[in-house]
Amino acid sequence: MNSFIQFLLVINFICYAGIDPSPQKKLTEKQKGIIESLISFADSLNGKTKSSSIILTKIATLKNDNVEFMPFYHLDIDKFYKDPTPENLLLSLYQPDDFAMLVVQEKASSSYALTTKKQKSNWVPNAMMHDFGEKILHVKSKIPNVENSDFRIFQFEALYFYTYTSKGERVYEDMRGNVFTPGMMCDRLLIVINAIKQAAEEGNILYL
């Protein structure tokens, strides 16, 4: 068979099957260890609890080649509040040692986000979010040269945001697709932080 025709058939199969032809990002030894720990946790509980059997079954079938670990950060609120500027906002984002987020590609058009916490020496599931997994992949797909965009996901209280560079400019985005400049993002965070502090002074809790 002509080699060019063979090439076309392979590409056609890849597109038809919904497989991403770009190279799979290699997992680190730590990331592989997290997956192994999650699978062991799911296997140890599977069949013992009915309410979470579907979630545990999904976790028990995790594989290194269908998982992508996200660059996940927390916002140090106190550090940012002392100097609420775009420069300090980036410096106030830190990666926790005991928390991770991964996106699992189940099928060509189906994925979910999974967060996990480290308890002692083991990693256990924290939350599974189907819609969030799709949103993350959608945001990444629209970023030019995403591998060099310094793409990050960060959590502020119960809210999640994305940040990345596009055409040399830092961009922030919320889960609804609203896009903010660094200055706008600082203003937005400052308003919410002040509202939280005011509610606390009044003996109330502000639910976000």
Side-chain angles (χ1 to χ4, degrees):
M1 185 185 293
N2 184 287
S3 60
F4 180 68
I5 295 176
Q6 286 180 314
F7 172 76
L8 290 179
L9 287 174
V10 171
I11 293 299
N12 182 63
F13 170 76
I14 288 173
C15 295
Y16 179 78
I19 302 171
D20 185 356
S22 60
Q24 177 71 27
K25 197 169 184 179
K26 205 168 183 181
L27 299 182
T28 65
E29 291 304 313
K30 178 183 177 181
Q31 291 170 342
K32 291 177 182 177
I34 292 174
I35 294 175
E36 290 174 3
S37 186
L38 286 169
I39 293 173
S40 296
F41 175 85
D43 286 341
S44 68
L45 292 181
N46 226 342
K48 297 180 182 178
T49 172
K50 294 181 180 179
S51 61
S52 49
S53 59
I54 296 176
I55 294 176
L56 292 174
T57 299
K58 285 179 178 289
I59 293 172
T61 57
L62 289 175
K63 298 177 181 178
N64 290 348
D65 60 357
N66 71 342
V67 171
E68 181 182 358
F69 279 77
M70 295 293 107
F72 183 80
Y73 293 73
H74 279 311
L75 173 66
D76 185 329
I77 297 175
D78 292 335
K79 183 175 181 178
F80 169 70
Y81 195 69
K82 290 177 181 177
D83 180 22
T85 61
E87 295 76 17
N88 193 46
L89 173 54
L90 271 183
L91 294 175
S92 300
L93 300 179
Y94 68 95
Q95 289 187 289
D97 294 326
D98 58 351
F99 196 92
M101 175 184 284
L102 43 152
V103 170
V104 183
Q105 189 81 44
E106 292 186 292
K107 299 175 184 177
S109 59
S110 176
S111 63
Y112 63 87
L114 176 68
T115 56
T116 175
K117 281 185 175 181
K118 190 174 185 180
Q119 292 185 353
K120 295 183 179 179
S121 60
N122 299 316
W123 289 85
V124 299
N126 181 64
M128 183 178 287
M129 302 168 281
H130 284 271
D131 291 344
F132 197 20
E134 296 295 333
K135 287 178 181 178
I136 292 171
L137 294 182
H138 172 70
V139 170
K140 291 188 68 179
S141 69
K142 70 179 185 179
I143 302 173
N145 194 17
V146 64
E147 292 300 321
N148 297 311
S149 68
D150 189 28
F151 176 78
R152 308 182 191 186
I153 300 170
F154 71 92
Q155 184 176 2
F156 162 59
E157 295 292 329
L159 304 176
Y160 293 93
F161 298 92
Y162 315 103
T163 183
Y164 51 90
T165 57
S166 178
K167 299 178 181 178
E169 298 292 334
R170 173 63 58 177
V171 176
Y172 289 86
E173 186 172 339
D174 65 16
M175 289 182 64
R176 296 181 179 179
N178 298 310
V179 177
F180 309 97
T181 65
M184 291 167 62
M185 188 74 246
C186 288
D187 291 342
R188 181 182 176 87
L189 291 173
L190 200 55
I191 289 171
V192 178
I193 293 171
N194 284 330
I196 292 173
K197 289 181 176 292
Q198 182 177 345
E201 289 174 0
E202 296 170 353
N204 299 317
I205 299 176
L206 182 66
Y207 293 98
L208 301 177

